[in-house]
């Protein structure tokens, strides 16, 4: 990881993501569209436009997750600050606009903040705003794919407890097996006693869940199709995003919401020198959002080396926020996480 000051107030850490992002994106896109059934990796949702659209999703009336999680963080801020302790290093994964973390910053008063995101421009803007708003805070930004193993940058591994903040139930975008691998990578990054504060969506009524991913304003549909816009602009595909319909539904057997892009007609698209056919009604499976009971998620985290220390819910018990500590031994230490 190379390090350089991004501004006078923010230190930027580049994990050399620029060296292979274009080829990785193309390789993953081709692999997904040649598969049966077709799929796409959801980590490519988050270019600058995708990050803006996801921010807009979080404000939609149907999308209860953000409101419920923010309610927990606000109501339980003092309790969270107590378990985190003084002089902490707060590491936010998928930091995006860094709105939720402000409640934590004001309650916890950490010594250091590290925002980690795959969208470089969005990351720079959000961390610069934090540095301006919290001049007492040592602000860092890591342009990185956090689905791969990480280590704490130099200067952030001293002082108080390092605590990973992973909000938004983003852990639900991974299959349980890959979620365990991601959690294990985080445990491997943290010292014994290091913390994990993580938002997890709970299983609930089908109507509530499906409405959350099919907002009336069509923002989630635009977010989903933006992935194909990236194929078009960045990968030189002739794919037309408007020829694909957004569809999201509850797969009750798997306890997950599935998002798909469904071809409106029989068509063939060009990508990477290939011609890839679609049948009418054939879909690209773009994202999952798994829902967990509290005990199921505790078990998953335990297999990755984390011990449960606290658990909070919003008043309607729609959403859970867990606090774990990295145990003294690790059960599972993988070297890499393969998304998709």
């Amino acid at each position: 990881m190379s390090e350089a000051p991004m501004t006078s107030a923010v230190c930027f850490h580049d994990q050399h993501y620029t060296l292979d992002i274009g080829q990785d994106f193309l390789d993953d896109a081709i692999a997904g569209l040649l598969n049966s059934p077709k799929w796409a990796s959801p980590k490519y949702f988050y270019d600058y436009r995708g990050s803006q659209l996801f921010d807009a999703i979080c404000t939609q009336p149907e999308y209860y997750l953000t409101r419920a999680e923010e309610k927990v963080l606000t109501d339980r801020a003092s309790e969270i600050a107590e378990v985190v302790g003084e002089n902490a290093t707060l590491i936010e994964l998928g930091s995006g606009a860094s709105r939720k973390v402000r409640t934590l910053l004001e309650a916890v008063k950490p010594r250091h903040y590290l925002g980690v995101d795959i969208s470089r421009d969005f990351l720079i803007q959000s961390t610069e705003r934090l540095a301006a708003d919290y001049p007492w805070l040592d602000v860092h930004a890591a342009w990185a794919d956090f689905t791969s193993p990480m280590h704490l940058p130099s200067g952030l591994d001293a002082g108080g407890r390092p605590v990973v903040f992973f909000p938004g139930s983003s852990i639900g975008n991974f299959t349980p097996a890959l979620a365990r691998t991601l959690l294990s990578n985080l445990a491997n990054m943290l010292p014994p006693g290091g913390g994990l504060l993580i938002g997890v969506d709970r299983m609930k009524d089908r109507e509530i869940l499906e409405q959350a991913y099919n907002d009336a304003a069509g923002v989630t549909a635009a977010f989903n199709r933006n992935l194909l816009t990236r194929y078009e602009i960045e990968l030189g595909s002739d794919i037309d995003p408007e020829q694909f319909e957004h569809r999201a539904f509850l797969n009750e057997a798997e306890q997950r919401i599935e998002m798909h892009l469904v071809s409106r007609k029989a068509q063939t698209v060009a990508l990477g020198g290939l011609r890839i056919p679609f049948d009418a009604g054939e879909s690209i499976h773009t994202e999952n959002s798994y829902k967990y009971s509290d005990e199921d998620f505790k078990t998953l985290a335990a297999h990755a080396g984390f011990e449960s220390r606290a658990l909070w819910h919003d008043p309607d018990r729609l959403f859970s926020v867990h606090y774990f500590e990295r145990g003294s031994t690790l059960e599972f230490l993988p070297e890499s996480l393969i998304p998709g």
Side-chain angles (χ1 to χ4, degrees), residues 294-330:
D294 295 338
E295 290 307 313
D296 283 348
F297 194 78
K298 286 181 183 179
T299 299
L300 178 69
H303 284 306
F306 284 103
E307 300 170 358
S308 178
R309 290 289 181 262
L311 171 63
W312 303 280
H313 301 103
D314 64 287
D316 296 322
R317 299 183 69 84
L318 297 174
F319 198 89
S320 61
V321 175
H322 294 253
Y323 184 79
F324 298 97
E325 285 184 2
R326 194 267 216 192
S328 57
T329 60
L330 296 181

Coordinates of all heavy atoms in Angstrom, one line a residue, residues 294-330:
D294 N -30.8 -13.1 14.7 CA -29.7 -12.7 15.5 C -28.7 -13.9 15.9 O -27.5 -13.7 15.8 CB -30.2 -12.1 16.8 CG -31.0 -10.8 16.6 OD1 -30.8 -10.2 15.6 OD2 -31.8 -10.5 17.5
E295 N -29.3 -15.0 16.2 CA -28.5 -16.2 16.6 C -27.7 -16.7 15.4 O -26.5 -17.1 15.5 CB -29.3 -17.2 17.2 CG -29.9 -16.9 18.6 CD -28.7 -16.4 19.5 OE1 -27.7 -17.1 19.6 OE2 -28.9 -15.4 20.2
D296 N -28.3 -16.7 14.2 CA -27.6 -17.2 13.0 C -26.4 -16.3 12.7 O -25.4 -16.9 12.3 CB -28.6 -17.3 11.8 CG -29.5 -18.5 11.9 OD1 -29.3 -19.4 12.7 OD2 -30.5 -18.5 11.1
F297 N -26.6 -15.0 12.8 CA -25.4 -14.2 12.5 C -24.3 -14.3 13.6 O -23.2 -14.3 13.2 CB -25.9 -12.7 12.3 CG -24.8 -11.9 11.7 CD1 -24.6 -12.0 10.3 CD2 -23.9 -11.1 12.4 CE1 -23.5 -11.3 9.7 CE2 -22.9 -10.4 11.8 CZ -22.7 -10.5 10.5
K298 N -24.7 -14.4 14.8 CA -23.7 -14.6 15.9 C -22.9 -15.9 15.6 O -21.7 -15.9 15.8 CB -24.4 -14.8 17.2 CG -24.9 -13.5 17.8 CD -25.5 -13.7 19.2 CE -26.1 -12.5 19.8 NZ -26.7 -12.8 21.1
T299 N -23.6 -17.0 15.1 CA -22.9 -18.2 14.8 C -21.9 -18.0 13.6 O -20.8 -18.5 13.7 CB -23.9 -19.3 14.5 OG1 -24.7 -19.5 15.6 CG2 -23.2 -20.6 14.1
L300 N -22.4 -17.3 12.6 CA -21.5 -17.0 11.4 C -20.3 -16.3 11.9 O -19.2 -16.6 11.5 CB -22.3 -16.2 10.4 CG -21.6 -15.8 9.2 CD1 -21.3 -17.0 8.3 CD2 -22.4 -14.8 8.4
A301 N -20.5 -15.2 12.7 CA -19.3 -14.4 13.1 C -18.4 -15.2 14.0 O -17.2 -15.1 14.0 CB -19.8 -13.2 13.9
A302 N -18.9 -16.1 14.8 CA -18.1 -16.9 15.7 C -17.2 -17.8 14.9 O -16.0 -18.0 15.3 CB -19.0 -17.8 16.7
H303 N -17.7 -18.4 13.8 CA -16.9 -19.2 13.0 C -15.7 -18.5 12.3 O -14.7 -19.0 11.9 CB -17.7 -19.9 11.9 CG -18.5 -21.0 12.4 ND1 -18.0 -22.1 13.1 CD2 -19.9 -21.3 12.4 CE1 -19.0 -23.0 13.5 NE2 -20.1 -22.5 13.0
A304 N -15.9 -17.1 12.3 CA -14.8 -16.3 11.7 C -13.8 -15.8 12.7 O -12.9 -15.1 12.4 CB -15.4 -15.1 10.9
G305 N -14.1 -16.1 14.0 CA -13.2 -15.6 15.0 C -13.6 -14.5 15.9 O -12.9 -13.9 16.7
F306 N -14.9 -14.1 15.8 CA -15.5 -13.0 16.6 C -16.4 -13.5 17.7 O -17.2 -14.4 17.6 CB -16.3 -12.1 15.7 CG -15.4 -11.2 14.8 CD1 -15.3 -11.5 13.5 CD2 -14.8 -10.1 15.3 CE1 -14.5 -10.7 12.6 CE2 -14.0 -9.3 14.5 CZ -13.9 -9.6 13.2
E307 N -16.3 -12.8 18.9 CA -17.1 -13.1 20.0 C -18.1 -12.0 20.2 O -17.7 -10.8 20.2 CB -16.2 -13.3 21.3 CG -15.1 -14.4 21.1 CD -14.1 -14.4 22.2 OE1 -14.2 -13.5 23.1 OE2 -13.2 -15.3 22.2
S308 N -19.4 -12.4 20.4 CA -20.4 -11.4 20.6 C -20.3 -10.7 21.9 O -20.1 -11.3 23.0 CB -21.8 -12.1 20.5 OG -22.8 -11.1 20.7
R309 N -20.4 -9.3 21.9 CA -20.3 -8.5 23.1 C -21.5 -7.7 23.3 O -21.9 -7.4 24.5 CB -19.1 -7.6 23.0 CG -17.7 -8.3 23.1 CD -17.5 -8.9 24.5 NE -16.3 -9.6 24.7 CZ -16.1 -10.9 24.6 NH1 -17.2 -11.7 24.4 NH2 -15.0 -11.5 24.7
A310 N -22.2 -7.3 22.3 CA -23.5 -6.5 22.5 C -24.3 -6.6 21.2 O -23.9 -6.9 20.1 CB -23.1 -5.0 22.7
L311 N -25.6 -6.3 21.4 CA -26.6 -6.4 20.3 C -27.7 -5.4 20.6 O -28.2 -5.4 21.7 CB -27.2 -7.8 20.3 CG -28.4 -8.1 19.3 CD1 -28.0 -7.8 17.9 CD2 -28.9 -9.5 19.4
W312 N -28.0 -4.6 19.6 CA -29.1 -3.7 19.7 C -30.1 -3.8 18.5 O -29.7 -4.2 17.4 CB -28.5 -2.3 19.7 CG -27.5 -2.0 20.8 CD1 -27.8 -1.7 22.1 CD2 -26.1 -2.0 20.7 NE1 -26.6 -1.6 22.8 CE2 -25.5 -1.7 21.9 CE3 -25.2 -2.2 19.6 CZ2 -24.2 -1.6 22.2 CZ3 -23.8 -2.1 19.8 CH2 -23.3 -1.9 21.1
H313 N -31.3 -3.4 18.8 CA -32.4 -3.3 17.7 C -33.1 -2.0 17.7 O -33.1 -1.3 18.7 CB -33.4 -4.4 18.0 CG -32.9 -5.8 18.0 ND1 -32.8 -6.5 19.2 CD2 -32.5 -6.6 17.0 CE1 -32.3 -7.7 18.9 NE2 -32.1 -7.8 17.6
D314 N -33.7 -1.6 16.6 CA -34.6 -0.5 16.5 C -35.9 -0.9 17.2 O -36.1 -2.1 17.5 CB -34.8 -0.1 15.1 CG -35.5 -1.2 14.3 OD1 -34.9 -2.2 14.0 OD2 -36.8 -1.0 14.1
P315 N -36.7 0.1 17.6 CA -38.0 -0.2 18.3 C -38.9 -1.2 17.6 O -39.6 -2.0 18.3 CB -38.6 1.1 18.4 CG -37.5 2.1 18.4 CD -36.5 1.6 17.4
D316 N -38.9 -1.3 16.3 CA -39.7 -2.2 15.6 C -39.0 -3.5 15.3 O -39.6 -4.4 14.6 CB -40.2 -1.6 14.2 CG -41.1 -0.4 14.4 OD1 -41.9 -0.4 15.4 OD2 -40.9 0.6 13.7
R317 N -37.8 -3.7 15.7 CA -37.0 -4.9 15.6 C -36.9 -5.3 14.1 O -36.9 -6.5 13.8 CB -37.6 -6.0 16.4 CG -37.5 -5.7 17.9 CD -38.0 -6.9 18.7 NE -37.1 -8.0 18.7 CZ -36.0 -8.1 19.5 NH1 -35.8 -7.2 20.4 NH2 -35.2 -9.2 19.4
L318 N -36.8 -4.3 13.2 CA -36.5 -4.6 11.8 C -35.1 -4.9 11.5 O -34.8 -5.6 10.6 CB -37.0 -3.4 11.0 CG -38.5 -3.0 11.0 CD1 -38.7 -1.6 10.3 CD2 -39.3 -4.1 10.4
F319 N -34.2 -4.3 12.4 CA -32.8 -4.3 12.0 C -32.0 -4.5 13.3 O -32.4 -4.2 14.4 CB -32.4 -2.9 11.4 CG -31.1 -2.8 10.7 CD1 -31.1 -3.1 9.3 CD2 -30.0 -2.5 11.3 CE1 -29.9 -3.0 8.6 CE2 -28.8 -2.4 10.6 CZ -28.8 -2.7 9.3
S320 N -30.8 -5.1 13.1 CA -29.9 -5.4 14.3 C -28.5 -4.7 14.1 O -28.1 -4.7 12.9 CB -29.8 -6.9 14.6 OG -29.2 -7.5 13.5
V321 N -27.9 -4.3 15.1 CA -26.6 -3.8 15.1 C -25.8 -4.6 16.2 O -26.1 -4.6 17.4 CB -26.4 -2.3 15.4 CG1 -25.0 -1.9 15.5 CG2 -27.2 -1.5 14.3
H322 N -24.8 -5.4 15.7 CA -24.0 -6.2 16.6 C -22.7 -5.6 16.9 O -22.1 -4.9 16.0 CB -23.7 -7.6 15.9 CG -24.9 -8.4 15.6 ND1 -25.2 -9.6 16.4 CD2 -25.9 -8.3 14.7 CE1 -26.3 -10.2 15.9 NE2 -26.7 -9.4 14.9
Y323 N -22.2 -5.8 18.1 CA -20.8 -5.5 18.4 C -20.0 -6.8 18.8 O -20.4 -7.5 19.7 CB -20.6 -4.5 19.5 CG -19.2 -4.1 19.7 CD1 -18.6 -3.2 18.9 CD2 -18.4 -4.6 20.8 CE1 -17.3 -2.8 19.1 CE2 -17.1 -4.3 20.9 CZ -16.5 -3.4 20.1 OH -15.2 -3.0 20.3
F324 N -19.0 -7.1 18.1 CA -18.1 -8.3 18.3 C -16.7 -7.8 18.6 O -16.3 -6.8 18.2 CB -18.1 -9.2 17.1 CG -19.4 -9.7 16.6 CD1 -20.1 -9.1 15.6 CD2 -19.9 -10.9 17.2 CE1 -21.3 -9.6 15.2 CE2 -21.1 -11.4 16.8 CZ -21.8 -10.8 15.8
E325 N -16.0 -8.7 19.3 CA -14.6 -8.6 19.5 C -13.8 -9.7 18.9 O -14.3 -10.9 18.9 CB -14.2 -8.5 21.0 CG -14.6 -7.1 21.6 CD -14.1 -7.0 23.0 OE1 -13.5 -8.0 23.6 OE2 -14.4 -6.0 23.7
R326 N -12.7 -9.5 18.3 CA -11.9 -10.5 17.8 C -11.3 -11.3 18.9 O -10.7 -10.8 19.9 CB -10.7 -9.9 16.9 CG -10.0 -10.8 16.0 CD -8.8 -11.4 16.7 NE -7.7 -11.5 15.8 CZ -6.6 -12.2 16.0 NH1 -6.4 -12.8 17.2 NH2 -5.6 -12.3 15.1
G327 N -11.5 -12.6 18.8 CA -11.0 -13.5 19.9 C -9.5 -13.7 19.9 O -8.8 -13.2 19.0
S328 N -9.0 -14.4 20.9 CA -7.6 -14.6 21.0 C -7.0 -15.6 20.0 O -5.8 -15.6 19.6 CB -7.2 -15.1 22.4 OG -7.9 -16.3 22.7
T329 N -7.9 -16.5 19.4 CA -7.5 -17.4 18.4 C -8.5 -17.3 17.3 O -9.7 -16.9 17.4 CB -7.5 -18.9 18.9 OG1 -8.8 -19.2 19.4 CG2 -6.5 -19.0 20.1
L330 N -8.1 -17.7 16.1 CA -8.9 -17.6 14.9 C -9.1 -19.0 14.3 O -8.1 -19.8 14.1 CB -8.3 -16.7 13.8 CG -8.1 -15.3 14.2 CD1 -7.5 -14.5 13.0 CD2 -9.4 -14.6 14.6

